[in-house]
Amino acid sequence: MNSWKYCRELGLAASIYLMYIRFSGAHRAVSAITEILLHIDWTSMRRLGVDVGGTFTDLVLWDDDGTTTVHKTPSTNEDPSVGTMKGISALEVKAEIDLESIDMFFHGTTVATNIVLEHNGDDVGLITTEGFRDLLHIARKKRPLNYSNYQELPWQKWQLVPRRNRRTVPERIDASGAVLTSLDEDAVRQEARLLRERGVAAVAIAFLHAYKNPAHEQRAREIVEEEFPEAFISLSSEVASQYREYERFSTTALNAFVGPKTSNYISKLVDEASAAGVSDDVHLMTSAGGLVTARSARQTPVSLLTSGVVAGLIGGCAIGAASGYPSVITLDVGGTSADVGVAPDGRLRMKHLLDTRIGDYHAMVPMAEVDTIGAGGGSIASIDEGGMFRVGPRSAGAVPGPACFDRGGTEPTSTDAMVVLGWLREKSFLSGTMEVRPQLAEQAVRNHIAEPLGQSTEKAAMGIFTVLAHSMTEAISLHSVRKGYDPRDFSLVAEGGAGPLFAWHIAKQLDIPRIIVPTHPGITSAVGLLATDIRYEVPTTVWTSSDQADIDLLAREVARLTDQAVAQLKGDGIPDEHIDLECSVDCRYVGQGYELRVQAPSGEIDADWVEQVAQAFHEQHGRMYSQRFDDKPVQLVNVRMTGIGMVPQIRLPKIAVGDADSTPAKVATAQTLMWTDDAGSPKWVDTDVYSRELLRAGNVFDGPAIVEQFDSTTVIGIGQRATVDELGHIIIERCAQ
């Protein structure tokens, strides 16, 4: 399997250092580094990462010698594979390589997410237990507006499965997995024929308590395959094998809703990449922060929701750790949205079950703690009917784009505002390959914002920036301060094409001591695709308590999950020596309605194992809610086994060291509008402009300054100092008083 060609001529010292970064978390023993090094086949490796965003598609090619080639191209939202293949072709020329030399292809996509958000999935039929036809309609008692009798419920307005296609059959399994009523196979056959006649593209099969005994669902699938072989079939026992009927049914229906289009897209991309000579060994990022094969992604495309968003967080963690700052807050600002993630000690946090939603629907799949707001480079500034000044969430996207790009857009965006402020120069965008017309930006801001509000164009532009920056500041505060983390203990990793334009101001507002601007901030999500492992999570519901734990049940279920996770990895061709396992448990105090996930210890499943899980839960509950009850028994609800196919981490190459004079040579001086102090009004100031390509390790320069490069522009504010580290990352800190 050519996906296991690794890193030719990688020095041993660098190998140990990189593996230490990857495995230095508390959940990995340092001894694992030595074990892995003993088994790695140090041959050549060339990896391609492609992240498709709403505005741009980002590509990065990582060679085994540390050479990196990056490219950005406008996304083709009508068919993302078109933009992807165009970008790959351009990257081939840029890197001067043969596409057949690419060993692995990692991909992050918004296809499944967009289908859900735009409500344009395929027609779905549901076969479920008699008496549970309307479970998807009723949902939970929680409503968007708690006290309104006249509200539209989104899961009812935009139904995943219309009532006429929700079909029931006699069958019943109890909560222990015992069969109470045998499956009526004739009824399943009849309903499958009916759904086929109605022209549905996908069939979801969700029976009561199938997470305990999937036999009825598996037999129902066999019957549907016989009667309706062209249907995309989704089983709740495979998609979400744990208790909570509504969430399990919703997730299964979501998987069917996005399944046909997403699986067709993946198949088309794999075929086109293979035809072009790129490796057909395509792996896709999941919402949990791991990679899965194209085969697995086609079966459970619901796992791809928010995939590109998570890649940005993983990339930020890798970059922060490599620069010596493992605790990071990531700010990934693209053309349409801004993604915020918080990773203490470089560890991804998983979302609470109450928060694992996508659009209007509940998705009971593991999701890393990353949230998105409608704030990006393409966010449109406007004045509503009530005279209120707004920025976003509406975006100009790739087409027509900001007014300054002269592609048909006439409304002012945050990009246009920063052109007016002097931060984005005429030839700075994509190294001058995309023309920027300042006069169009000024005209858009003046006509739509400044004149209606009776303000100068410059003040209106600064207002656009300030409003959008405030939205990002609030998002970071929501996911750090309000969840028990102090931003002053973190470094802010500025990602995306626009992240480094906002980070300098946001860090000042939240008193974050340090900003890290990656070597290629605009393609950090694509880098994140190359910095993660292949992961499969297998859950089950156990229902036992720490004071009366069923050790035999726990040991049996952990062993079963282990075998299942290992089998999935081996099915992908991953050898034994590259397989690792992590166990976690969803716990709660007896009487609580929802759980918190905690890491379980390795080793034998015994009373001491249960006690360690309980103690971990007490600590987690205390952090989350400032209350812990050590004298109360802990209920172990779900056990999860994560199988990891370990991929050796990409090598971050060092850049050339600067001369004795640590100040880099500036390429220009620009007039920019900046705050000269915290209380004053913005003023036009002389600002040094530097080229990122000319920066060297050890370079130091003070703001106000601008650093331009192909995929982004970085702003260093007044009172801030930038230092270039040995990896080429720009570290921005407050100047010493």
Side-chain angles (χ1 to χ4, degrees), residues 4 213 235 406 458 509 532 554 679:
W4 298 99
N213 182 352
L235 266 62
D406 195 18
E458 293 81 4
Q509 298 302 306
T532 191
L554 288 170

Side-chain angles (χ1 to χ4, degrees), residues 636-718:
L636 284 65
V637 180
N638 299 313
V639 174
R640 303 173 185 275
M641 184 63 66
T642 302
I644 305 169
M646 294 179 292
V647 178
Q649 295 301 282
I650 53 179
R651 181 155 61 111
L652 299 178
K654 296 181 180 180
I655 65 170
V657 178
D659 298 329
D661 181 2
S662 62
T663 303
K666 61 184 178 181
V667 296
T669 300
Q671 283 284 304
T672 64
L673 197 62
M674 291 270 190
W675 283 281
T676 55
D677 56 66
D678 293 337
S681 298
K683 296 180 180 178
W684 289 100
V685 295
D686 289 335
T687 302
D688 294 333
V689 179
Y690 301 95
S691 170
R692 189 71 183 260
E693 294 180 354
L694 301 179
L695 296 183
R696 299 291 180 264
N699 284 166
V700 180
F701 52 97
D702 293 341
I706 290 173
V707 179
E708 297 175 344
Q709 62 188 102
F710 174 78
D711 57 320
S712 186
T713 296
T714 302
V715 174
I716 298 96
I718 295 173

Side-chain angles (χ1 to χ4, degrees), residues 355-410:
D355 299 324
T356 56
R357 304 179 65 89
I358 182 70
D360 302 315
Y361 310 105
H362 210 112
M364 196 163 59
V365 293
M367 290 186 180
E369 183 83 49
V370 185
D371 281 279
T372 301
I373 61 172
S379 293
I380 295 173
S382 61
I383 300 172
D384 65 18
E385 294 178 355
M388 181 69 70
F389 175 44
R390 299 183 181 277
V391 186
R394 197 162 56 93
S395 174
V399 179
C404 64
F405 291 167
D406 195 18
R407 303 178 68 178
T410 58

Side-chain angles (χ1 to χ4, degrees), residues 169-170 183-193 219 223:
V169 297
L183 176 67
D184 188 332
E185 296 188 4
D186 291 337
V188 175
R189 197 172 300 277
Q190 180 180 336
E191 299 300 345
R193 291 170 180 170
R219 177 55 186 150
I223 296 170

